[in-house]
Amino acid sequence: MTRRDLFWRAAGAVLLVGATAAEQLAPGSGAFRGLLTLVLLVTAFLGLLLLIRGKKMALALRIERSRHRMLPELIRARRRQRRAERLP
């Protein structure tokens, strides 16, 4: 496991623990508490994903936000098309 992967896994652990601790320590009730709970739940889920997948999850999120996210599928489609043309 590389240092970068360990960094992302540690960041995931920090997000997970921080979100759950913030939820337990958050004051008040009502609509603000409900909204805060949802935000912290999403943060905890992101932390869990980073903890499990590490650097690969960070790369997947970055690729998904990129305008070139469809590039791997286009490359595979072109390869399939070329193979289909070569075979009679």
Side-chain angles (χ1 to χ4, degrees):
M1 195 177 305
T2 63
R3 279 186 168 178
R4 183 180 287 176
D5 196 38
L6 283 173
F7 168 76
W8 284 110
R9 289 177 191 265
V14 168
L15 281 175
L16 181 64
V17 171
T20 53
E23 168 59 33
Q24 295 298 318
L25 298 174
S29 62
F32 175 73
R33 174 73 183 221
L35 181 63
L36 182 64
T37 300
L38 287 175
V39 169
L40 291 174
L41 180 66
V42 169
T43 305
F45 184 67
L46 180 64
L48 184 63
L49 286 175
L50 281 174
L51 185 63
I52 293 170
R53 297 285 305 198
K55 181 179 78 170
K56 291 178 184 177
M57 188 64 209
L59 288 174
L61 288 174
R62 192 167 67 189
I63 289 170
E64 193 59 35
R65 289 189 339 223
S66 169
R67 55 188 177 146
H68 302 293
R69 66 181 172 272
M70 299 302 293
L71 185 60
E73 181 58 35
L74 291 172
I75 292 171
R76 285 187 204 107
R78 285 184 184 170
R79 284 182 184 162
R80 279 188 222 119
Q81 184 181 11
R82 274 189 261 143
R83 285 183 193 143
E85 288 173 0
R86 275 190 278 164
L87 296 175

